[in-house]
Amino acid sequence: MVLMYLRIALRIGFQRAKAYDADIEEMIGNACLGLINAVDKYDPDTGGPFISHASFYILQSVTREQPTQNPLMYFPTHKRED
């Protein structure tokens, strides 16, 4: 079961590294960190499946660290003031 989740993390890391021309090792590391966060924050009492919970945290971790496509006009959403 653990191997299945690790494969999902690796697949997401490879896909994002290929799509955004990023360092493969860095993306795989971020995907594994997302999997670790998912394991830490999962509550089995909620009744939700772990796989959807894990994929959300893996994608979130990888997305935060992926390079921006247009760095000239980039404003992070948490730093932009309206």
Side-chain angles (χ1 to χ4, degrees):
M1 205 60 159
V2 173
L3 191 58
M4 180 181 72
Y5 299 126
L6 188 58
R7 285 183 187 165
I8 292 169
L10 290 174
R11 186 181 309 146
I12 291 172
F14 279 130
Q15 287 174 350
R16 291 297 174 109
K18 186 177 178 182
Y20 292 98
D21 195 30
D23 187 28
I24 292 174
E25 294 148 358
E26 185 177 331
M27 287 293 147
I28 290 173
N30 289 327
C32 291
L33 286 175
L35 182 60
I36 291 170
N37 284 338
V39 169
D40 287 342
K41 295 182 181 184
Y42 180 67
D43 184 17
D45 296 332
T46 60
F50 178 73
I51 190 67
S52 61
H53 185 76
S55 63
F56 171 75
Y57 276 100
I58 293 168
L59 281 171
Q60 184 181 29
S61 177
V62 170
T63 304
R64 284 184 180 173
E65 298 299 324
Q66 72 188 15
T68 58
Q69 292 294 321
N70 189 3
L72 279 177
M73 299 299 291
Y74 176 68
F75 294 103
T77 56
H78 63 280
K79 297 207 178 194
R80 189 176 74 185
E81 296 179 11
D82 292 327

